[in-house]
Amino acid sequence: LSETAQDTRRLLSQVVKEAESMVDAALPHLDPVDTEPTRAGHAPSMRSKFPQDIPSVPGPSGIVTDEIGIARSAFNGGPLGELVQWSDLVSTLHILGHHLHLSASITDLKIFLGGLKSGCPSMPTLEPNLIYTDILGLQQMQKALPNIWSKYQCKIRILDSFGTEPDFNHVSWAKGHNLSSPYGGLNLIPLQFYTMFPHTPDNTFLGFVVQPHWSDEENKKLESIKRKNQALVYGKRASFWKGKTAYLDTIHKYLDLHGTVDNGALIPSYVTNHGIVKGAEVHALLRESKVFVGLSFPFEGPAPLEALANGCVFLNPRLNPPQSRLNSEFFKEKPNIREVTSQHPYAEAIGEPYVWMVDMDNSTDVERAVKAIINQTIEPYIPYEFTCEGMLQRVNILIEKQDFCNSTTSWPPLSTLQVVTAEVGASCKDTCQKQGLICEPAFFPHLNSAQSLANYGINCQTTEHSGGYLVLPAYDNNSKHCVFQSDPLLFSCVRSHLSWTRVCPCRDYIKDQIALCKACL
Ligand code: U2F
């Protein structure tokens, strides 16, 4: 193993050790139980007293393998968001009591799943219940284990930061419609893609944990920190600061500026640069700052939520025009056409007083926001879905209930289905959202026949099945002609059609836990 892979291993095993020490703190609150084995034979609700009885869940991860090497750039300003999510997932699975096998190289993958001799006679080939990987990891699996990977297809969960929409996932649709992308065409069920934020209901929201678990000593230190007239700039790489000097000059009229930047020589001289620092130091800097200043990149990272958790406002640059694969180098190869309206759309939805939107090129707008921010104080805020408890609750239920191997089971419970007809030209994502609900793609098959639509007052005069649209089931309001989906991989919440009325499967959700319906607990 190279040094980097060993570092990654050390990091992950340290995470597991830390997780172990968190168990005692977390579980009294979460009511530990020895529950009955669940329907799918997965783990019990909370950590069992007999973890050896619990099925295994390996997590071979593409990006952390030495062959891909994201871990290599982790200590010099490279993306850490994905590693935050992997660490949190590993900790969560461990706390929930699963047997976890980590693979950070193709050789390990072959030993775990492909029967390659490990040199360790007691190491059996695994029969995993679930496999967590990412898009590159899946591609590695398909290449390394070409004869057996399809056996695991329904057990795979893909960590996919920005999401994969159904048309990009569907290999022949993508080819035929010029939507090919190096990360698309995997032909999985779209809910098998697990995202960082709830970007699209077509995928599953996995998330991560924002709430840090500090030692008593670290906690005391953080609590003693006083807030200063200070801003921390969100930009680990000096290249993110390029062209932003006028914007920073305006903020600097009101606040001292600090940064954690790889190369301090390339940023304005009035900025106090701390270099790339450890997570605890970022939190300490956020505690003493009034505002965390977005520079419009990186998109959709964990750090703005860490700012709010430390009582520090996030200044969120608008992206005008919104960025997507159609106009942005960064999103060009991503397998979706979602439009990103600001550096952090999830934070944008949280809104004031925690998140202030700003037009970076308009100094009047910047001054307006900064003046308002320095005259207010906010309490630390973490949406429930990003707390330790929220993540444990969500992942536990997903493991117990979400099952793509068995077509006779259905989850979420059908009792939560609320059928809403969209306006012509509207998507189901927007239609459900307007009603305070969320589109639930798992329910599409239940609406995909004339008989089922009749139960909801939609009477089809004529019917047809088609694999040529992403908006089905749908109907023509005048002729009462109904069209049903013939290809289940093309069910999609996000698309709309100018002449079809969509029939939308919506459900409710727990406040601040959008992945779960109210009856899901
Ligand atoms: C996002 O990845 P990033 O790694 O750029 O996300 P950030 O929000 O900047 O930070 C991730 C973590 O890095 C920590 C910080 C966060 O927990 O506390 N950190 C640190 O430890 N030391 C420092 O000096 C500065 C930050 C996103 F998550 C990815 O999905 C995207 O690929 C990427 C590009 O858009 O942006």
Side-chain angles (χ1 to χ4, degrees):
L1 284 173
S2 76
E3 228 176 279
T4 317
Q6 284 186 26
D7 272 352
T8 311
R9 280 275 172 74
R10 257 197 301 276
L11 195 75
L12 290 172
S13 73
Q14 195 186 329
V15 165
V16 170
K17 268 198 209 121
E18 280 174 18
E20 233 150 11
S21 72
M22 285 165 68
V23 171
D24 291 341
L27 288 190
H29 184 43
L30 287 164
D31 192 18
V33 278
D34 279 340
T35 50
E36 294 294 311
T38 57
R39 176 188 51 73
H42 293 315
S45 305
M46 287 299 153
R47 190 180 173 80
S48 160
K49 280 192 186 146
F50 308 104
Q52 67 275 19
D53 296 335
I54 295 171
S56 57
V57 197
S61 161
I63 53 159
V64 304
T65 56
D66 202 26
E67 290 83 354
I68 305 287
I70 196 174
R72 218 171 288 154
S73 61
F75 303 102
N76 58 22
L80 282 171
E82 281 77 4
L83 295 180
V84 166
Q85 192 182 36
W86 271 110
S87 314
D88 290 341
L89 176 65
V90 167
S91 310
T92 301
L93 295 170
H94 178 73
I95 290 171
L96 292 174
H98 296 278
H99 275 175
L100 189 63
H101 297 263
L102 299 175
S103 155
S105 78
I106 290 172
T107 310
D108 281 356
L109 195 61
K110 287 183 176 164
I111 292 170
F112 282 152
L113 300 177
L116 185 76
K117 289 275 168 285
S118 64
C120 167
S122 61
M123 173 81 194
T125 304
L126 298 174
E127 265 314 311
N129 292 90
L130 284 173
I131 297 174
Y132 294 91
T133 183
D134 53 29
I135 293 174
L136 299 172
L138 182 81
Q139 290 166 350
Q140 288 173 337
M141 263 179 85
Q142 287 171 323
K143 216 164 146 196
L145 306 165
N147 300 324
I148 60 159
W149 95 267
S150 61
K151 166 176 152 195
Y152 298 115
Q153 185 162 338
C154 64
K155 297 180 175 181
I156 280 170
R157 307 290 183 265
I158 303 280
L159 272 64
D160 174 14
S161 307
F162 298 97
T164 295
E165 289 171 351
D167 31 1
F168 291 85
N169 169 59
H170 192 287
V171 69
S172 51
W173 181 283
K175 267 193 197 136
H177 293 80
N178 209 12
L179 298 177
S180 294
S181 126
Y183 303 111
L186 297 179
N187 259 358
L188 295 171
I189 295 166
L191 284 168
Q192 287 178 271
F193 294 95
Y194 276 33
T195 54
M196 287 270 272
F197 287 95
H199 299 308
T200 162
D202 286 320
N203 299 150
T204 299
F205 165 53
L206 171 63
F208 54 92
V209 175
V210 172
Q211 191 177 33
H213 187 81
W214 306 120
S215 66
D216 289 348
E217 199 186 322
E218 281 166 328
N219 251 333
K220 260 195 211 139
K221 221 161 119 193
L222 282 171
E223 274 160 20
S224 68
I225 294 174
K226 295 260 170 313
R227 214 164 290 280
K228 299 179 189 161
N229 224 26
Q230 170 179 314
L232 181 66
V233 179
Y234 179 21
K236 286 177 287 193
R237 289 208 157 140
S239 56
F240 303 166
W241 297 57
K242 224 170 148 199
K244 315 285 160 55
T245 308
Y247 168 56
L248 294 172
D249 287 349
T250 308
I251 299 169
H252 182 233
K253 283 208 254 171
Y254 299 91
L255 294 157
D256 292 334
L257 288 193
H258 288 243
T260 55
V261 193
D262 57 350
N263 187 346
L266 301 175
I267 61 171
S269 56
Y270 52 72
V271 177
T272 309
N273 183 26
H274 302 260
I276 302 295
V277 294
K278 293 208 165 121
E281 279 175 70
V282 177
H283 284 259
L285 284 165
L286 289 167
R287 287 272 171 129
E288 58 182 30
S289 302
K290 285 190 173 162
V291 53
F292 190 46
V293 177
L295 294 173
S296 76
F297 192 83
F299 301 126
E300 306 187 305
L305 295 189
E306 291 170 3
L308 307 190
N310 285 293
C312 175
V313 167
F314 177 52
L315 197 57
N316 188 18
R318 279 194 195 88
L319 300 176
N320 201 0
Q323 304 282 290
S324 73
R325 80 192 310 265
L326 303 177
N327 62 358
S328 138
E329 254 326 286
F330 181 81
F331 287 115
K332 198 167 116 194
E333 296 192 321
K334 304 277 183 281
N336 65 66
I337 49 169
R338 189 168 60 92
E339 290 200 324
V340 177
T341 49
S342 64
Q343 181 171 3
H344 208 291
Y346 184 91
E348 185 178 342
I350 294 174
E352 295 173 12
Y354 301 101
V355 178
W356 291 71
M357 301 300 295
V358 74
D359 173 356
M360 279 191 310
D361 298 323
N362 176 341
S363 60
T364 317
D365 191 41
V366 177
E367 283 201 37
R368 170 201 60 89
V370 174
K371 278 185 192 162
I373 291 165
I374 56 181
N375 286 319
Q376 66 162 32
T377 48
I378 59 161
E379 287 302 312
Y381 171 65
I382 308 176
Y384 180 70
E385 54 204 0
F386 287 98
T387 61
C388 290
E389 193 180 310
M391 174 101 178
L392 284 165
Q393 182 186 65
R394 184 169 63 252
V395 174
N396 185 51
I397 295 203
L398 289 174
I399 290 174
E400 284 195 352
K401 307 283 187 187
Q402 200 184 43
D403 184 353
F404 302 114
C405 296
N406 185 346
S407 57
T408 62
T409 59
S410 164
W411 186 81
L414 203 49
S415 56
T416 65
L417 168 62
Q418 298 188 40
V419 179
V420 182
T421 46
E423 281 172 22
V424 174
S427 73
C428 285
K429 180 184 176 188
D430 293 344
T431 301
C432 297
Q433 206 170 321
K434 265 196 190 154
Q435 307 285 322
L437 303 167
I438 182 166
C439 175
E440 177 49 73
F443 291 150
F444 274 120
H446 300 286
L447 298 182
N448 204 34
S449 70
Q451 297 92 303
S452 50
L453 292 197
N455 294 333
Y456 300 100
I458 301 161
N459 292 310
C460 305
Q461 300 288 315
T462 50
T463 63
E464 158 193 5
H465 276 75
S466 166
Y469 299 95
L470 286 143
V471 293
L472 308 177
Y475 63 94
D476 181 305
N477 221 350
N478 299 320
S479 64
K480 303 289 177 227
H481 179 65
C482 298
V483 189
F484 298 103
Q485 187 54 264
S486 61
D487 186 338
L489 286 190
L490 290 177
F491 284 127
S492 164
C493 290
V494 292
R495 297 282 174 263
S496 56
H497 194 285
L498 284 176
S499 41
W500 294 106
T501 297
R502 299 201 60 179
V503 185
C504 299
C506 309
R507 65 158 167 85
D508 63 15
Y509 53 87
I510 297 167
K511 187 181 172 314
D512 282 340
Q513 181 68 291
I514 201 160
L516 303 180
C517 63
K518 287 181 181 156
C520 287
L521 290 186

